[in-house]
Amino acid sequence: FFKVLSYVSSSLKNTLTYILVLRSVTFKVNELLIIENDNWNILSNEHNTNLTLITCMENQPNLRRCIKAIEI
């Protein structure tokens, strides 16, 4: 499922839609990061509606792709 995240680009103003039972929420990508596999500092308790996706990177076991997006 997350494999397509490697194609996301903030310069293209990509959006992600999270589909729930009663509604859907759309987020605009605002940050792309490559982080170390043990760096969880990117996750925080923010008081706004953000989406953070973290997934592995193919053939790079020590790195993770991180995509942050804000609700629009």
Coordinates of all heavy atoms in Angstrom, one line a residue:
F1 N 0.8 -1.2 0.0 CA 0.0 0.0 0.0 C 0.9 1.3 0.0 O 0.6 2.2 -0.7 CB -0.9 0.0 1.2 CG -1.7 1.2 1.4 CD1 -2.8 1.5 0.5 CD2 -1.4 2.2 2.3 CE1 -3.5 2.7 0.7 CE2 -2.1 3.3 2.5 CZ -3.2 3.6 1.6
F2 N 1.9 1.3 0.8 CA 2.7 2.5 0.9 C 3.7 2.6 -0.2 O 4.4 3.6 -0.3 CB 3.5 2.5 2.3 CG 2.6 3.1 3.4 CD1 1.3 3.1 3.4 CD2 3.3 3.6 4.5 CE1 0.5 3.7 4.4 CE2 2.6 4.1 5.6 CZ 1.2 4.2 5.5
K3 N 3.8 1.6 -1.1 CA 4.8 1.7 -2.1 C 4.7 2.9 -3.0 O 5.7 3.5 -3.4 CB 4.8 0.4 -3.0 CG 5.9 0.3 -4.0 CD 5.9 -1.0 -4.7 CE 7.1 -1.0 -5.6 NZ 7.4 -2.4 -6.1
V4 N 3.5 3.4 -3.2 CA 3.2 4.6 -4.1 C 3.8 5.8 -3.4 O 3.9 6.8 -4.1 CB 1.8 4.7 -4.4 CG1 1.3 3.5 -5.3 CG2 0.9 4.9 -3.2
L5 N 4.1 5.8 -2.1 CA 4.6 7.0 -1.5 C 5.9 7.5 -2.0 O 6.3 8.6 -1.9 CB 4.7 6.8 0.0 CG 3.3 6.6 0.7 CD1 3.5 6.4 2.2 CD2 2.4 7.7 0.5
S6 N 6.6 6.6 -2.6 CA 7.9 7.0 -3.2 C 7.7 7.9 -4.4 O 8.7 8.6 -4.8 CB 8.7 5.8 -3.7 OG 8.0 5.1 -4.7
Y7 N 6.5 8.0 -4.9 CA 6.2 8.9 -6.0 C 5.7 10.3 -5.6 O 5.5 11.2 -6.4 CB 5.2 8.3 -7.0 CG 5.7 7.0 -7.5 CD1 5.1 5.8 -7.2 CD2 6.8 6.9 -8.4 CE1 5.6 4.6 -7.7 CE2 7.3 5.7 -8.9 CZ 6.6 4.6 -8.5 OH 7.1 3.4 -9.0
V8 N 5.5 10.5 -4.3 CA 4.9 11.7 -3.8 C 6.0 12.8 -3.8 O 7.1 12.6 -3.5 CB 4.4 11.5 -2.4 CG1 4.0 12.8 -1.7 CG2 3.2 10.5 -2.4
S9 N 5.5 14.0 -4.2 CA 6.4 15.1 -4.3 C 5.7 16.4 -3.8 O 4.6 16.7 -4.2 CB 6.9 15.3 -5.7 OG 7.5 16.6 -5.8
S10 N 6.4 17.1 -2.8 CA 5.7 18.3 -2.3 C 5.8 19.4 -3.4 O 4.9 20.3 -3.4 CB 6.5 18.8 -1.1 OG 7.8 19.1 -1.3
S11 N 6.7 19.3 -4.3 CA 6.8 20.3 -5.4 C 5.6 20.2 -6.3 O 5.3 21.2 -7.0 CB 8.1 20.3 -6.1 OG 8.2 19.0 -6.8
L12 N 5.0 19.0 -6.4 CA 3.8 18.8 -7.3 C 2.5 19.1 -6.6 O 1.4 18.9 -7.1 CB 3.8 17.4 -7.8 CG 5.0 17.0 -8.7 CD1 4.9 15.5 -9.0 CD2 5.1 17.8 -9.9
K13 N 2.6 19.5 -5.3 CA 1.4 19.8 -4.5 C 0.5 18.6 -4.4 O -0.8 18.7 -4.6 CB 0.6 21.0 -5.1 CG 1.5 22.3 -5.3 CD 2.0 22.8 -4.0 CE 2.6 24.2 -4.3 NZ 4.0 24.2 -3.8
N14 N 1.1 17.5 -4.2 CA 0.3 16.2 -4.0 C -0.7 16.3 -2.9 O -0.4 17.0 -1.9 CB 1.2 15.0 -3.8 CG 1.9 14.6 -5.1 OD1 3.1 14.3 -5.0 ND2 1.3 14.7 -6.2
T15 N -1.8 15.6 -3.0 CA -2.7 15.5 -1.9 C -3.0 14.0 -1.7 O -2.8 13.2 -2.5 CB -4.1 16.2 -2.2 OG1 -4.7 15.6 -3.4 CG2 -3.9 17.7 -2.4
L16 N -3.4 13.7 -0.4 CA -3.7 12.4 0.0 C -5.1 12.5 0.6 O -5.4 13.4 1.4 CB -2.7 11.9 1.1 CG -1.2 11.9 0.7 CD1 -0.4 11.8 1.9 CD2 -0.9 10.8 -0.3
T17 N -5.9 11.5 0.3 CA -7.3 11.5 0.8 C -7.4 10.2 1.7 O -7.2 9.1 1.2 CB -8.3 11.5 -0.3 OG1 -8.1 12.6 -1.1 CG2 -9.7 11.5 0.3
Y18 N -7.8 10.4 2.9 CA -8.0 9.4 3.9 C -9.5 9.1 4.0 O -10.3 10.0 4.3 CB -7.5 9.9 5.2 CG -7.4 8.8 6.3 CD1 -6.5 7.8 6.2 CD2 -8.2 8.9 7.4 CE1 -6.4 6.8 7.2 CE2 -8.1 8.0 8.4 CZ -7.2 6.9 8.3 OH -7.1 6.0 9.3
I19 N -9.9 8.0 3.5 CA -11.4 7.7 3.4 C -11.8 6.9 4.7 O -11.3 5.8 5.0 CB -11.7 6.9 2.2 CG1 -11.2 7.7 0.9 CG2 -13.1 6.5 2.1 CD1 -11.3 7.0 -0.4
L20 N -12.8 7.5 5.4 CA -13.4 6.9 6.6 C -14.8 6.4 6.3 O -15.3 6.6 5.2 CB -13.4 8.0 7.7 CG -12.0 8.6 8.0 CD1 -12.2 9.9 8.8 CD2 -11.1 7.6 8.7
V21 N -15.4 5.8 7.2 CA -16.8 5.3 7.0 C -17.7 6.4 6.7 O -18.5 6.4 5.8 CB -17.2 4.5 8.2 CG1 -18.7 4.1 8.1 CG2 -16.3 3.3 8.4
L22 N -17.7 7.5 7.5 CA -18.7 8.6 7.4 C -18.2 9.8 6.6 O -19.0 10.7 6.3 CB -19.1 9.0 8.8 CG -19.8 7.9 9.6 CD1 -20.2 8.4 11.0 CD2 -21.1 7.4 8.9
R23 N -16.9 9.9 6.3 CA -16.4 11.0 5.6 C -15.0 10.7 5.1 O -14.4 9.7 5.4 CB -16.4 12.3 6.5 CG -15.4 12.2 7.6 CD -15.5 13.5 8.5 NE -14.4 13.4 9.5 CZ -13.4 14.3 9.6 NH1 -13.4 15.3 8.7 NH2 -12.5 14.2 10.5
S24 N -14.5 11.6 4.3 CA -13.1 11.5 3.8 C -12.4 12.8 4.1 O -13.1 13.9 4.2 CB -13.1 11.2 2.3 OG -13.8 12.2 1.6
V25 N -11.1 12.7 4.4 CA -10.3 13.9 4.7 C -9.2 14.0 3.8 O -8.5 13.0 3.5 CB -9.8 13.8 6.2 CG1 -9.0 15.0 6.6 CG2 -10.9 13.5 7.2
T26 N -9.0 15.2 3.2 CA -7.9 15.4 2.3 C -6.8 16.2 2.9 O -7.0 17.2 3.6 CB -8.4 16.1 1.0 OG1 -9.5 15.3 0.4 CG2 -7.3 16.3 0.0
F27 N -5.6 15.8 2.6 CA -4.4 16.4 3.2 C -3.5 16.8 2.0 O -3.4 16.2 1.0 CB -3.6 15.4 4.1 CG -4.3 14.9 5.3 CD1 -5.2 13.9 5.2 CD2 -4.2 15.6 6.5 CE1 -5.9 13.4 6.3 CE2 -4.9 15.2 7.6 CZ -5.7 14.1 7.5
K28 N -2.8 18.0 2.2 CA -1.8 18.4 1.2 C -0.4 18.1 1.8 O -0.1 18.5 2.9 CB -1.9 19.9 1.0 CG -1.0 20.5 0.0 CD -1.2 22.0 -0.2 CE 0.1 22.6 -0.5 NZ 0.5 23.7 0.3
V29 N 0.4 17.5 1.0 CA 1.8 17.2 1.4 C 2.6 18.5 1.5 O 2.6 19.3 0.7 CB 2.5 16.3 0.3 CG1 3.9 16.1 0.7 CG2 1.7 14.9 0.2
N30 N 3.2 18.6 2.7 CA 3.9 19.9 2.9 C 5.4 19.6 3.3 O 6.2 20.5 3.4 CB 3.3 20.7 4.0 CG 3.3 20.2 5.4 OD1 3.3 18.9 5.5 ND2 3.3 21.0 6.4
E31 N 5.7 18.3 3.5 CA 7.1 18.0 3.9 C 7.5 16.6 3.5 O 6.7 15.7 3.8 CB 7.3 18.2 5.4 CG 8.7 18.3 5.8 CD 8.8 18.7 7.3 OE1 7.8 19.0 8.0 OE2 10.0 18.8 7.7
L32 N 8.6 16.4 2.9 CA 9.1 15.1 2.6 C 10.5 14.9 3.2 O 11.3 15.8 3.1 CB 9.3 14.9 1.1 CG 8.1 14.9 0.2 CD1 8.4 15.0 -1.3 CD2 7.2 13.7 0.5
L33 N 10.7 13.9 4.0 CA 12.0 13.7 4.7 C 12.5 12.2 4.5 O 11.7 11.3 4.3 CB 11.8 13.9 6.2 CG 11.2 15.2 6.6 CD1 10.7 15.2 8.0 CD2 12.3 16.3 6.4
I34 N 13.8 12.1 4.5 CA 14.4 10.8 4.6 C 15.0 10.8 6.0 O 15.8 11.6 6.3 CB 15.4 10.6 3.5 CG1 14.8 10.8 2.2 CG2 16.1 9.2 3.7 CD1 13.7 9.8 1.8
I35 N 14.6 9.8 6.9 CA 15.1 9.8 8.2 C 15.7 8.4 8.5 O 15.5 7.5 7.8 CB 13.9 10.0 9.2 CG1 12.8 8.9 9.1 CG2 13.3 11.4 9.0 CD1 11.7 9.0 10.1
E36 N 16.5 8.4 9.6 CA 17.1 7.2 10.0 C 16.0 6.2 10.6 O 15.0 6.7 11.1 CB 18.1 7.4 11.1 CG 19.3 8.2 10.7 CD 20.3 7.5 9.7 OE1 20.4 6.3 9.9 OE2 20.8 8.1 8.8
N37 N 16.2 5.0 10.5 CA 15.2 4.0 10.9 C 14.8 4.0 12.3 O 13.8 3.5 12.7 CB 15.5 2.6 10.4 CG 16.7 2.0 11.1 OD1 17.5 2.8 11.7 ND2 16.9 0.7 11.1
D38 N 15.7 4.6 13.2 CA 15.4 4.7 14.6 C 15.0 6.1 15.1 O 14.9 6.4 16.2 CB 16.6 4.2 15.4 CG 17.8 4.9 15.2 OD1 17.9 5.8 14.3 OD2 18.8 4.7 15.9
N39 N 14.8 7.0 14.1 CA 14.4 8.4 14.5 C 12.9 8.6 14.5 O 12.3 8.7 13.5 CB 15.0 9.4 13.4 CG 14.7 10.8 13.7 OD1 14.1 11.1 14.7 ND2 15.0 11.7 12.8
W40 N 12.3 8.5 15.7 CA 10.9 8.7 15.9 C 10.6 10.1 16.4 O 9.4 10.4 16.7 CB 10.4 7.6 16.8 CG 10.6 6.2 16.2 CD1 11.5 5.3 16.6 CD2 10.0 5.7 15.0 NE1 11.5 4.2 15.7 CE2 10.6 4.4 14.8 CE3 9.0 6.1 14.1 CZ2 10.2 3.6 13.7 CZ3 8.6 5.3 13.1 CH2 9.2 4.0 12.9
N41 N 11.6 11.0 16.4 CA 11.3 12.3 16.9 C 10.4 13.1 16.0 O 9.8 14.1 16.4 CB 12.6 13.1 17.1 CG 13.5 12.5 18.1 OD1 13.0 11.9 19.1 ND2 14.8 12.5 18.0
I42 N 10.3 12.6 14.8 CA 9.4 13.3 13.8 C 7.9 13.2 14.2 O 7.1 14.1 13.9 CB 9.6 12.7 12.4 CG1 9.1 13.6 11.3 CG2 9.0 11.3 12.3 CD1 9.9 14.8 11.1
L43 N 7.6 12.3 15.0 CA 6.3 12.1 15.6 C 6.1 13.0 16.8 O 6.9 12.9 17.7 CB 6.0 10.6 15.9 CG 6.1 9.7 14.7 CD1 5.9 8.3 15.2 CD2 5.0 10.0 13.6
S44 N 5.1 13.7 16.9 CA 4.8 14.6 18.0 C 3.3 14.7 18.3 O 2.5 14.5 17.4 CB 5.5 16.0 17.8 OG 4.9 16.6 16.8
N45 N 3.0 15.2 19.5 CA 1.6 15.4 19.8 C 1.3 16.9 19.4 O 1.5 17.8 20.2 CB 1.4 15.2 21.3 CG 1.4 13.8 21.7 OD1 1.0 13.0 20.9 ND2 1.8 13.5 22.9
E46 N 0.9 17.1 18.2 CA 0.5 18.4 17.7 C -1.0 18.6 17.9 O -1.7 17.6 17.9 CB 0.9 18.6 16.3 CG 2.4 18.4 16.1 CD 2.8 18.5 14.6 OE1 1.9 18.7 13.7 OE2 4.0 18.3 14.3
H47 N -1.4 19.8 18.1 CA -2.8 20.0 18.4 C -3.6 20.4 17.1 O -4.7 21.0 17.2 CB -3.0 21.1 19.5 CG -2.4 20.7 20.8 ND1 -2.9 19.8 21.6 CD2 -1.2 21.1 21.4 CE1 -2.2 19.6 22.7 NE2 -1.1 20.4 22.5
N48 N -3.0 20.1 16.0 CA -3.8 20.4 14.8 C -3.9 19.1 14.0 O -3.4 18.0 14.4 CB -3.0 21.4 13.9 CG -1.6 21.1 13.8 OD1 -1.1 20.0 14.0 ND2 -0.8 22.1 13.4
T49 N -4.6 19.1 12.9 CA -4.9 17.9 12.1 C -3.8 17.7 11.1 O -3.9 18.3 10.0 CB -6.3 18.0 11.5 OG1 -7.2 18.3 12.5 CG2 -6.7 16.6 10.9
N50 N -2.8 16.9 11.4 CA -1.8 16.6 10.5 C -1.8 15.1 10.2 O -2.3 14.3 11.0 CB -0.4 16.9 11.1 CG -0.2 18.4 11.1 OD1 -0.9 19.2 10.4 ND2 0.7 18.9 11.9
L51 N -1.1 14.7 9.2 CA -1.0 13.3 8.8 C 0.5 13.0 8.6 O 1.2 13.8 7.9 CB -1.7 12.9 7.6 CG -1.6 11.5 7.0 CD1 -2.3 10.5 8.0 CD2 -2.2 11.4 5.7
T52 N 1.1 12.0 9.3 CA 2.5 11.6 9.2 C 2.5 10.2 8.8 O 2.0 9.3 9.5 CB 3.3 11.9 10.5 OG1 3.2 13.2 10.8 CG2 4.7 11.5 10.3
L53 N 3.1 9.9 7.6 CA 3.3 8.6 7.1 C 4.8 8.2 7.1 O 5.6 9.0 6.6 CB 2.7 8.4 5.7 CG 1.3 8.8 5.5 CD1 0.9 8.9 4.1 CD2 0.4 7.9 6.3
I54 N 5.1 7.1 7.6 CA 6.5 6.6 7.6 C 6.6 5.2 7.1 O 5.8 4.4 7.5 CB 7.1 6.7 9.1 CG1 7.1 8.1 9.6 CG2 8.5 6.1 9.1 CD1 7.6 8.2 11.0
T55 N 7.4 5.0 6.1 CA 7.6 3.7 5.5 C 9.0 3.4 5.2 O 9.9 4.3 5.2 CB 6.7 3.6 4.3 OG1 6.6 2.2 3.8 CG2 7.1 4.5 3.2
C56 N 9.3 2.2 4.9 CA 10.7 1.8 4.6 C 11.1 2.3 3.2 O 10.2 2.6 2.4 CB 10.9 0.3 4.8 SG 9.8 -0.7 3.8
M57 N 12.4 2.2 2.9 CA 12.9 2.6 1.6 C 13.5 1.3 1.0 O 14.3 0.6 1.7 CB 13.9 3.7 1.7 CG 13.2 5.0 2.1 SD 14.4 6.4 2.1 CE 14.9 6.4 0.4
E58 N 13.2 1.0 -0.2 CA 13.7 -0.2 -0.9 C 15.2 -0.2 -0.9 O 15.8 0.8 -1.3 CB 13.1 -0.2 -2.3 CG 13.3 -1.5 -3.0 CD 12.6 -1.6 -4.3 OE1 11.6 -0.9 -4.5 OE2 13.1 -2.3 -5.2
N59 N 15.7 -1.3 -0.5 CA 17.2 -1.6 -0.5 C 18.0 -0.6 0.4 O 19.2 -0.4 0.2 CB 17.7 -1.5 -2.0 CG 17.1 -2.5 -2.8 OD1 16.9 -3.7 -2.4 ND2 16.8 -2.2 -4.1
Q60 N 17.3 0.0 1.3 CA 18.0 0.9 2.2 C 17.4 0.7 3.6 O 16.7 1.5 4.1 CB 17.8 2.4 1.8 CG 18.5 2.7 0.5 CD 18.4 4.1 0.1 OE1 18.8 5.0 0.9 NE2 17.9 4.4 -1.1
P61 N 17.8 -0.4 4.3 CA 17.2 -0.8 5.5 C 17.4 0.2 6.7 O 16.7 0.1 7.7 CB 17.9 -2.1 5.8 CG 19.1 -2.2 5.1 CD 18.9 -1.3 3.8
N62 N 18.4 1.1 6.6 CA 18.6 2.0 7.7 C 17.9 3.3 7.5 O 18.0 4.2 8.4 CB 20.1 2.3 7.8 CG 20.9 1.0 8.2 OD1 20.4 0.2 9.0 ND2 22.1 0.9 7.7
L63 N 17.1 3.5 6.4 CA 16.4 4.7 6.2 C 14.9 4.5 6.1 O 14.5 3.4 5.7 CB 16.9 5.3 4.9 CG 18.4 5.7 4.8 CD1 18.8 6.3 3.5 CD2 18.7 6.8 5.9
R64 N 14.2 5.6 6.4 CA 12.7 5.6 6.2 C 12.3 6.8 5.5 O 12.9 7.9 5.6 CB 12.1 5.6 7.6 CG 12.4 4.4 8.5 CD 11.6 3.2 8.0 NE 11.9 2.0 8.8 CZ 12.8 1.1 8.5 NH1 13.5 1.2 7.4 NH2 12.9 0.0 9.3
R65 N 11.3 6.7 4.7 CA 10.7 7.8 4.0 C 9.5 8.3 4.9 O 8.7 7.6 5.4 CB 10.1 7.4 2.6 CG 9.5 8.5 1.8 CD 9.0 8.0 0.5 NE 9.9 7.1 -0.2 CZ 10.9 7.5 -0.9 NH1 11.2 8.8 -1.0 NH2 11.7 6.6 -1.5
C66 N 9.5 9.6 5.1 CA 8.5 10.3 6.0 C 7.8 11.4 5.1 O 8.5 12.2 4.5 CB 9.2 10.9 7.2 SG 8.0 11.8 8.2
I67 N 6.5 11.3 5.1 CA 5.7 12.3 4.5 C 4.8 12.9 5.5 O 4.1 12.2 6.2 CB 4.9 11.6 3.3 CG1 5.8 11.1 2.3 CG2 3.9 12.6 2.7 CD1 5.2 10.2 1.2
K68 N 4.8 14.3 5.6 CA 4.0 15.0 6.5 C 3.0 15.8 5.6 O 3.4 16.4 4.6 CB 4.8 15.9 7.4 CG 5.7 15.1 8.3 CD 6.3 16.0 9.4 CE 5.3 16.0 10.5 NZ 5.8 16.6 11.7
A69 N 1.8 15.8 6.1 CA 0.7 16.5 5.3 C -0.2 17.2 6.3 O -0.4 16.8 7.4 CB 0.0 15.6 4.4
I70 N -0.8 18.3 5.8 CA -1.8 19.1 6.6 C -3.2 19.0 6.0 O -3.3 18.9 4.8 CB -1.4 20.6 6.8 CG1 -1.2 21.2 5.4 CG2 -0.1 20.7 7.6 CD1 -0.9 22.7 5.5
E71 N -4.2 19.0 6.8 CA -5.5 18.9 6.4 C -5.9 20.1 5.6 O -5.6 21.2 6.0 CB -6.5 18.7 7.5 CG -7.9 18.4 7.1 CD -8.9 18.1 8.2 OE1 -8.5 18.2 9.4 OE2 -10.0 17.8 8.0
I72 N -6.6 20.0 4.5 CA -7.1 21.1 3.7 C -8.6 21.1 3.6 O -9.2 20.1 3.9 CB -6.5 21.2 2.3 CG1 -6.7 19.9 1.5 CG2 -5.0 21.5 2.4 CD1 -6.2 19.9 0.1

